[in-house]
Structure formats: structure tokens, C-alpha cells
């Protein structure tokens, strides 16, 4: 008997598949969760970003064309060289990056990386990402400064779930790389980003 | 980790630094959890739902595992099954060798510790880069984790500083925790980027997508799993949830109970290896589903323990754990959940002391996000230990004598009255400092002088008035 058969032979249930599906669905009805007012998505999201466990800085722009200027503004405010790891997303590569040195693969000691989140989550201040040929994952974990464009907001984590076939990785970023492993004291920038900067794009996304 | 439980406890209690270190981290965790729960209005109902989700999965585990397997395979992952820790390690080492791996980056998982993966990798001559900061600390000190969330909670900053200075290429020069973390960041990054294989556990396995979920605050899982050519996941079979929606509920419970945050900083769902055109991600993804006693727990009255999501709240709130720390428990899992799990995984005979190292104050059950009746399960082990004759002869004889007397009320009351008189004779002041047969107590503290009459005697007098 294979290990698989040996394990499964001891785990038989008595319910039919449809009864199991019904019970599983019933367990998701009206879940307990922090309330988020749909009329206050922007405010709630901004408040969550300010929580000590997230501690993201926040900028607001009206249009994609303002992204390079928002990046230059952030770099200047933080005394950073205007050098950026940029994913090969046409929404970004089409922009005018005059005065910004770009490269598309993150160096091990990368200063700053820009990425586009699919959405932001007001409940937690999370930023939702999926991998694709235009959206590599590693730069978002290597860079010291993680800059993220947020085109849309949803209320709860459930609203951020991607239906259907999943990408290689679907991930939620809710702050920076932090650790409390030495005496429970919180330190930012354990392995990955020490700074998270959210650029809220307040116009609807056009592709 | 030598000697028996009593020796380990003696060593822990005699260590002046240990209690300070444990108290600093567990105390902070307790305070942060309290704030998070107070801010979550329906937490009690949310606990009911979390327990119900886990019970639903455990009752239908076979079907859910098959569905998870089918979906993971459809996404391009390879699924392996292991009955025992040995089988699990053999699979992982076999995969590493087939890939020609010289080094692996490992993102901390308790299942990996449970099956002895660090040891198996060392035996196979494969370099292991522990990427969780706490696991890195205990790898340097050659120890085992003392807590499931903060494996190095028994270490003070001063001890960590010494370890880093002795082992890091470019260590910190300033004696702050931030500078020490920065030293580890410099040191570990190279190892993560150069690893041939990335190994992690799973916080959740999503049945309807075949995804594996990891949560970390450090982002070390992602840095360990994205660059290497191969990803290996070792996961206990009880980690299944039906869908992403169920995972969301469990994640809300996990983060608040563990660290007091609304959500862990990095929550990632991996579904299969990299796709055509992807710039990063592994070429191969392997998932090892590990039983190691879990099917037996399900059959033997410990199904409720399979609800456990490894948040660590039970140990942070345990009066015994806070005195002796995690190492004294001797197994992979410390604290109340460890005292239930270790006898199930490693056998009751060698671990019968663990269920006894409990005051039954019920605090663990009060804070458990999935309402595991830990005190009840611990009492179950005590009963089993008695039934199987594992208790020492003196204990059995003593309890047997007491039971014999307790069934004879008149004799029992006479004996109690005699004992009271004798005890009062021993104590000239209000305290007894030396009592025959009670040396275990009086060696360390005095016993209060008893009242002149037993409770029953006083009660009877009261009734007659």
C-alpha cells in the first residue's frame, strides 16, 4: 500500500460531496470581521496605513502620468538617488521617466522598487499583488524602499480574492519586513523593505 | 536536551536569565493580543466559526486532501505523501539530491522541526540557511526552538550580540537590537539568493485552488522561496481549509492571537511553479503531505487538537510556560499545546510528565482562537497514563491508598483529624518548614500551619447552630 492510500484509507468521512459543499458554504455566511463603511473606504484605508504595524507613508495622485513625479518626490524627501527598479508593466514603461535611472531586475542591495497593486484593502491596509510576466515578485522583497501604486480599493480581504485559476503567487503586503525575534522588540527592515510608500491613484483604472 | 523533565525544569528554574527573556517576549505578546481582541467586537463568535471550520475539515479530511492534491497537480506541483517523519525526510532529501542541491534556504516551519528536517539535511551534507531571524539565532547557538512563534525567546539581546559577533562576516558595532537585525540582514541575504532549494511549511493548504499559504512578518519565506530553482513544502495534513474565504477567516484569527496585528505583514499563496514568461519563481514545486500521527490522533479522541493553527497564544498565557520556558518541555512543541501534542507524536511513556506540568487553570483554553479544550485533553492523557500503568509505583501506591481511604468516610475523617493534630504539633509558628513525605514542597517554601479542625468538622458544627 502506498503512503497516500494508507493515509486516505483512514480518513474517510460519512458525508456526501454535496453535503460537504453546503456545510463549507454555510461556514462563510456573515463572517465576523472589522466593519468597514463603504462610504469611507479611502479614509479607512489611509488610517490603516498609519497603524504602527503597517506604518506606510501615503501620497495621492490623480493620473498615471503623475507617477514619475510622485517617485521623484519620494526619493527627494528621503535623500535617495533617483534610481528605480521598474517592473515591465506597460502602464509604467509607457510613462515619461526623464531624470530617473531605471532598471528592470532588482540588485541584491536595491534601494527602491516600484510595483502596482491590484487593489488595496481598507480592512487591514493590505496591498494585493499577483505575479505575471509583467509583475515579478522578488524586487518587492529585495528593495529597501517599496513603492506601490494602488489603483482601486476594496473593503475586506474577502473582496480581494481572485476567482478562478490562480497565478503562481498571490500575495498581500501589510507593512514592511519586520521582526520581533530579539526580546519581542519590533525592528523594521528585517530582510526586505524597511519603508513602504503607497501612491494612491484616485482615478479609475484605464487599460 | 538531556535528562528527564524534572531535571530540565530544575535547570530552567535555576537560570536567572531565562525567566527574564521569556517574560519580556511573552508579556509583550499577551498585551498586544489583548488590545487586538478588545478591538474586534465579535471575537467570541469568530472563535466559534474558526473551530467549526476546522472541525468540518477534520471530519472530511480525506476528501479535502484529494481535492487539494488534484488542484495542486493541475497547477503543476508534485504532491508527495508521508506516513512518518522518516518518510517525509527521505522524500525531501531525495528531492534535494536529485536537484544536485548544495544549499537550501529554509523558512521556519514547526512541521519541519517536528519531522527533524534540520538534522536530516545536516546528515545529507546539505548546507542549511535558516532565514527566520530567530531560527538563525538558534542555528548559530546549536539549540532547538523554545517557542513556536519566537523560537529564540529564551535569548537576551546580550546573548544574541555575542553570537552574531562570533559568526557574522560583517557584524554590528552598536549594541542595539536594530543594529543586530541589520547584521543578520547583511549576512543572510547572500545565502537566500544563492540557495538551490527553498523549503517552507504551510500555514494553510487551500483545497479548491491547490495553493499553499505562508505567513511571515519578515518576508523571509518569499526571499527563501522565489529565487531557488526548486520549492519544497512540508505540511501537516490538518492544514487544509476548503477555500480562500475560509483561509481569510483563519488568518484574521491567527495574526491577532499570535502577535496582536490585524494581519501578518506578508501573506502569500503559492500555486504551482513559475508560469511561462514569469521572471522569477521556482521551476519545480513539491508538496509533501505529512501524517506523522495525525490520523491516529483523529481516531483516538484527539481530533480537537488537529484544530490547532500554531499561534502560540496558549503558551504566552501559561503560568507554567512563563516559569520554565520552552526547552524544558523537551519536544518540538512547548507549552499547553505541546503537552498535548508531544505524547501523541513521540509516545506517552517518555512524555507522561508533560500533561502533569499543568495547573488546569484553563487560561490556554480561554485564549485559544479555535477553542481547543486543552485542559480536558491534558486530563485525558493523565487518565491514559494511569490506565496504562505508566505512573511511578510510589504515586500509584499513594493515590491507591487515598482512594481506599476516601471510600471509607469515617476512617478518612479520623485519619484527617489525626494528621491535622500531628501537623499542628510540627509547627510552632504559623508555618511548617519541614514535613515528612512533603520534602518536595518544603525544600523550597514553607507550608501554612493548618486549621485546628477540618473543613468537614467545621461545616458540621455550623450546620448544628
Amino acid at each position: 500500500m502506498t503512503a497516500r492510500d494508507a493515509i486516505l484509507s483512514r480518513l474517510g468521512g460519512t458525508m456526501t460531496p454535496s453535503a460537504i459543499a453546503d456545510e463549507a458554504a454555510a461556514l462563510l455566511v456573515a463572517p465576523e470581521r472589522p466593519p468597514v463603511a463603504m462610504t469611507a473606504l479611502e479614509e479607512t484605508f489611509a488610517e490603516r496605513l498609519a497603524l504602527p504595524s503597517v506604518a506606510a507613508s501615503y501620497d495621492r495622485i490623480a493620473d498615471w502620468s503623475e507617477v514619475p513625479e510622485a517617485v521623484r518626490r519620494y526619493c527627494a524627501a528621503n535623500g535617495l538617488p533617483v534610481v528605480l527598479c521598474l517592473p515591465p508593466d506597460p502602464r509604467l514603461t509607457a510613462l515619461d521617466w526623464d531624470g530617473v535611472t531605471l532598471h528592470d531586475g532588482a540588485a541584491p542591495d536595491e534601494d527602491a522598487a516600484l510595483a502596482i497593486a491590484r487593489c488595496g484593502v481598507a480592512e487591514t491596509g493590505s496591498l494585493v499583488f499577483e505575479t505575471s510576466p509583467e509583475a515579478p515578485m522578488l524586487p518587492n522583497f529585495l528593495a529597501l524602499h517599496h513603492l506601490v501604486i494602488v489603483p482601486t480599493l476594496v473593503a475586506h480581504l474577502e473582496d480581494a480574492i481572485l476567482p478562478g485559476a490562480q497565478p503562481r503567487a498571490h500575495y498581500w503586503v501589510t507593512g514592511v519586513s519586520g521582526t520581533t525575534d530579539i526580546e519581542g522588540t519590533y525592528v523594521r527592515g528585517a530582510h526586505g523593505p524597511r519603508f513602504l510608500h503607497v501612491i494612491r491613484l484616485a482615478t479609475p483604472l484605464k487599460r | 536536551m538531556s535528562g528527564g523533565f524534572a531535571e530540565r525544569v530544575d535547570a530552567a528554574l535555576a537560570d536567572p536569565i531565562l525567566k527574564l527573556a521569556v517574560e519580556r517576549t511573552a508579556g509583550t505578546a499577551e498585551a498586544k493580543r489583548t488590545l487586538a481582541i478588545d478591538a474586534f467586537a465579535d471575537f467570541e463568535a469568530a472563535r466559534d466559526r474558526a473551530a467549526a471550520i476546522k472541525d468540518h475539515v477534520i471530519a472530511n479530511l480525506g476528501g479535502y486532501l484529494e481535492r487539494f492534491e488534484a488542484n495542486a497537480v493541475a497547477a503543476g506541483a508534485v504532491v508527495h505523501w508521508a506516513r512518518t517523519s522518516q518518510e517525509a525526510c527521505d522524500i525531501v532529501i531525495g528531492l534535494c539530491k536529485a536537484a544536485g542541491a548544495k544549499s537550501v534556504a529554509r523558512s521556519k516551519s514547526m512541521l519541519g522541526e517536528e519531522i527533524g528536517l534540520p538534522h536530516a539535511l545536516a546528515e545529507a551534507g546539505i548546507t542549511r540557511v535558516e532565514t527566520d531571524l530567530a531560527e538563525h539565532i538558534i542555528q548559530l547557538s546549536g539549540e532547538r526552538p523554545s517557542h513556536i512563534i519566537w523560537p529564540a525567546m529564551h535569548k537576551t539581546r546580550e546573548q544574541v550580540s555575542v553570537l552574531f559577533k562570533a559568526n557574522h562576516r560583517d557584524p554590528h558595532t552598536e549594541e542595539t537590537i536594530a543594529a543586530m537585525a541589520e547584521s543578520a540582514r547583511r549576512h543572510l541575504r547572500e545565502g537566500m539568493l544563492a540557495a538551490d532549494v527553498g523549503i517552507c511549511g504551510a500555514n494553510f493548504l487551500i483545497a479548491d485552488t491547490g495553493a499553499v499559504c505562508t505567513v511571515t512578518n519578515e518576508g523571509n519565506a518569499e526571499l527563501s522561496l522565489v529565487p531557488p530553482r526548486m520549492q519544497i513544502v512540508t505540511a501537516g495534513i490538518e492544514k487544509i481549509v476548503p477555500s480562500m474565504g475560509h483561509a481569510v477567516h483563519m488568518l484574521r484569527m491567527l495574526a491577532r492571537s499570535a502577535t496582536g496585528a490585524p494581519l501578518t505583514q506578508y501573506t502569500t499563496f503559492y500555486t504551482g511553479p513559475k508560469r511561462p514568461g514569469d521572471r522569477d519563481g521556482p521551476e519545480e514545486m513539491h508538496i509533501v503531505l505529512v501524517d506523522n500521527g495525525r490520523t491516529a490522533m483523529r481516531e483516538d479522541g484527539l481530533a480537537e487538537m488537529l484544530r490547532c493553527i500554531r499561534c502560540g497564544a496558549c503558551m504566552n498565557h501559561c503560568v507554567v510556560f512563563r516559569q520554565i520556558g520552552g526547552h524544558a518541555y523537551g519536544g518540538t512543541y512547548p507549552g499547553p499545546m505541546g503537552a498535548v501534542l508531544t505524547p501523541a507524536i513521540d509516545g506517552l511513556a517518555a512524555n507522561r510528565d508533560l500533561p502533569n506540568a499543568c495547573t488546569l487553570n484553563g487560561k490556554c483554553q480561554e485564549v485559544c482562537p479555535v477553542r481547543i479544550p486543552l485542559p480536558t485533553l491534558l486530563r485525558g492523557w493523565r487518565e491514559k497514563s494511569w490506565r496504562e500503568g505508566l505512573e511511578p509505583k510510589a504515586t500509584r501506591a499513594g493515590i491507591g491508598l487515598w482512594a481506599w481511604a476516601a471510600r471509607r468516610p469515617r476512617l478518612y475523617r479520623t485519619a484527617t483529624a489525626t494528621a491535622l493534630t500531628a501537623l499542628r504539633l510540627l509547627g510552632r509558628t504559623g508555618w511548617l518548614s519541614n514535613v515528612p513525605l512533603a520534602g518536595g514542597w518544603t525544600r523550597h517554601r514553607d507550608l501554612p500551619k493548618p486549621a485546628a479542625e477540618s473543613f468537614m468538622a467545621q461545616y458540621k458544627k455550623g450546620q448544628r447552630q
Side-chain angles (χ1 to χ4, degrees):
Chain A
M1 195 187 262
T2 64
R4 179 183 186 279
D5 294 343
I7 293 168
L8 288 176
S9 69
R10 295 173 70 175
L11 294 174
T14 53
M15 288 167 72
T16 63
S18 69
I20 293 173
D22 289 348
E23 193 173 286
L27 286 165
L28 289 181
V29 175
E32 301 76 20
R33 56 192 187 184
V36 175
M38 289 307 287
T39 50
L41 277 192
E42 291 289 346
E43 295 83 343
T44 311
F45 180 63
E47 275 168 25
R48 297 296 190 271
L49 293 180
L51 285 175
S53 61
V54 184
S57 49
Y58 179 77
D59 194 1
R60 222 182 137 89
I61 57 173
D63 193 76
W64 283 93
S65 63
E66 294 175 29
V67 169
E69 182 50 37
V71 169
R72 278 190 288 265
R73 198 155 55 226
Y74 178 80
C75 289
N78 291 276
L80 288 171
V82 194
V83 178
L84 191 68
C85 176
L86 196 76
D89 187 305
R91 287 171 291 177
L92 296 177
T93 51
L95 300 173
D96 177 7
W97 289 99
D98 193 32
V100 182
T101 308
L102 299 176
H103 52 137
D104 64 359
D109 58 348
E110 189 71 49
D111 268 333
L114 180 66
I116 306 173
R118 178 162 55 82
C119 61
V121 183
E123 174 192 348
T124 51
S126 300
L127 313 172
V128 179
F129 297 89
E130 276 104 24
T131 53
S132 77
E134 281 111 51
M137 184 166 174
L138 195 55
N140 296 339
F141 291 86
L142 278 180
L144 200 61
H145 294 259
H146 190 199
L147 282 64
V148 182
I149 301 166
V150 178
T152 55
L153 296 182
V154 297
H156 288 105
L157 290 168
E158 284 90 344
D159 307 320
I161 296 172
L162 199 64
Q166 299 293 303
R168 146 68 185 161
H170 166 96
Y171 55 106
W172 304 336
V173 172
T174 317
V176 295
S177 167
T179 183
T180 53
D181 278 347
I182 305 174
E183 291 188 357
T185 301
Y186 183 54
V187 178
R188 297 160 60 94
H191 296 290
R194 183 169 297 152
F195 306 96
L196 177 62
H197 182 60
V198 169
I199 303 171
R200 174 79 182 101
L201 189 68
T203 50
L205 180 61
K206 292 180 204 132
R207 285 203 78 168
Chain B
M1 211 75 64
S2 60
F5 179 69
E7 286 77 38
R8 292 194 300 269
V9 169
D10 281 346
L13 292 175
D15 183 338
I17 294 176
L18 179 71
K19 179 133 192 291
L20 175 73
V22 171
E23 201 55 38
R24 280 178 183 169
T25 306
T28 307
E30 184 178 6
K32 284 186 177 170
R33 179 195 170 275
T34 303
L35 284 175
I37 304 313
D38 288 349
F40 193 107
D42 300 321
F43 196 72
E44 290 309 305
R47 291 172 72 202
D48 291 337
R49 183 187 301 267
I53 289 173
K54 290 298 292 190
D55 285 349
H56 166 78
V57 169
I58 301 307
N60 303 290
L61 193 52
Y64 275 122
L65 282 166
E66 285 180 281
R67 190 185 310 173
F68 171 78
E69 180 189 39
N71 287 318
V73 168
V78 182
V79 176
H80 310 258
W81 300 73
R83 277 166 289 204
T84 61
S85 53
Q86 185 65 49
E87 281 185 2
C89 286
D90 289 348
I91 292 167
V92 174
I93 300 300
L95 288 167
C96 290
K97 284 187 172 164
K102 291 186 177 61
S103 81
V104 304
R106 188 166 165 264
S107 174
K108 172 185 95 83
S109 92
M110 291 316 299
L111 192 274
E113 300 292 333
E114 176 191 321
I115 62 176
L117 200 51
H119 182 70
L121 288 164
E123 279 208 326
I126 298 168
T127 304
R128 171 172 58 102
V129 181
E130 289 291 350
T131 63
D132 175 78
L133 181 59
E135 285 282 337
H136 171 63
I137 292 167
I138 62 168
Q139 183 179 26
L140 294 181
S141 66
E143 291 174 287
R144 294 181 66 178
S146 67
H147 188 285
I148 64 174
I149 303 288
W150 294 279
M153 75 160 11
H154 58 287
K155 286 270 181 273
T156 60
R157 74 186 80 181
E158 293 82 4
Q159 293 172 318
V160 172
S161 174
V162 171
L163 279 172
F164 283 5
K165 283 188 170 157
N167 290 284
H168 287 176
R169 279 179 293 277
D170 181 15
H172 57 288
T173 51
E174 196 186 323
E175 293 302 317
T176 64
I177 289 175
M180 291 173 208
E182 181 69 25
S183 174
R185 177 190 175 100
R186 285 191 297 270
H187 187 85
L188 288 172
R189 183 160 284 213
E190 269 172 51
M192 289 194 273
L193 293 176
D196 302 303
V197 173
I199 302 183
C200 66
N203 289 92
F204 302 101
L205 303 169
I206 320 297
D208 73 348
T209 62
V212 172
C213 174
T214 64
V215 305
T216 73
N217 286 324
E218 296 181 15
N220 61 304
E222 291 77 1
L223 281 170
S224 307
L225 301 174
V226 177
R229 212 181 61 70
M230 180 188 280
Q231 175 182 1
I232 304 176
V233 182
T234 57
I237 54 174
E238 85 286 11
K239 292 289 180 184
I240 294 261
V241 290
S243 74
M244 282 290 286
H246 299 88
V248 164
H249 187 78
M250 302 311 289
L251 284 162
R252 285 190 184 111
M253 305 303 286
L254 175 61
R256 286 179 173 83
S257 301
T259 65
L263 193 66
T264 317
Q265 268 82 349
Y266 297 106
T267 307
T268 299
F269 301 85
Y270 303 93
T271 313
K274 74 190 275 190
R275 306 293 162 79
D278 279 358
R279 292 197 169 195
D280 49 30
E283 305 286 341
E284 291 177 48
M285 180 182 187
H286 295 269
I287 303 165
V288 187
L289 298 173
V290 183
D291 181 342
N292 203 33
R294 286 162 176 75
T295 48
M297 286 170 65
R298 185 172 174 271
E299 289 160 4
D300 298 341
L302 287 170
E304 287 156 319
M305 194 60 220
L306 296 174
R307 290 179 193 161
C308 180
I309 55 173
R310 311 287 192 260
C311 70
C314 61
M315 56 198 77
N316 294 338
H317 291 76
C318 174
V319 290
V320 177
F321 179 90
R322 301 250 306 232
Q323 292 294 323
I324 65 176
H327 284 154
Y329 289 84
T332 300
Y333 301 100
M337 56 82 82
V340 175
L341 271 179
T342 305
I345 295 169
D346 297 336
L348 178 59
N351 295 290
R352 57 154 209 90
D353 284 325
L354 298 183
N356 289 322
C358 168
T359 66
L360 296 179
N361 71 1
K363 193 69 191 166
C364 50
Q365 185 174 347
E366 277 173 38
V367 297
C368 177
V370 284
R371 294 199 189 278
I372 300 173
L374 288 156
T376 307
L377 299 180
L378 286 166
R379 271 201 301 272
W381 278 128
R382 291 181 183 182
E383 283 165 27
K384 188 157 196 244
S385 177
W386 179 266
R387 278 199 311 277
E388 294 186 355
L390 300 175
E391 300 300 315
K393 270 188 185 151
T395 308
R396 290 189 76 84
I399 294 177
L401 181 66
W402 178 85
W404 179 83
R407 282 194 295 264
R408 291 160 179 81
R410 192 170 297 169
L411 174 71
Y412 191 84
R413 273 175 223 142
T414 311
T416 318
T418 313
L420 283 179
T421 312
L423 280 175
R424 287 178 64 80
L425 285 174
L426 282 174
R428 291 196 179 84
T429 63
W431 297 89
L432 312 178
S433 56
N434 192 2
V435 180
L437 299 176
W441 178 281
T442 53
R443 234 191 332 274
H444 300 289
R445 46 220 174 306
D446 293 345
L447 196 68
K449 191 169 164 176
E453 288 186 307
S454 73
F455 170 78
M456 280 305 289
Q458 294 180 47
Y459 181 69
K460 279 197 165 163
K461 273 188 192 164
Q463 271 187 331
R464 284 200 195 108
Q465 280 169 2

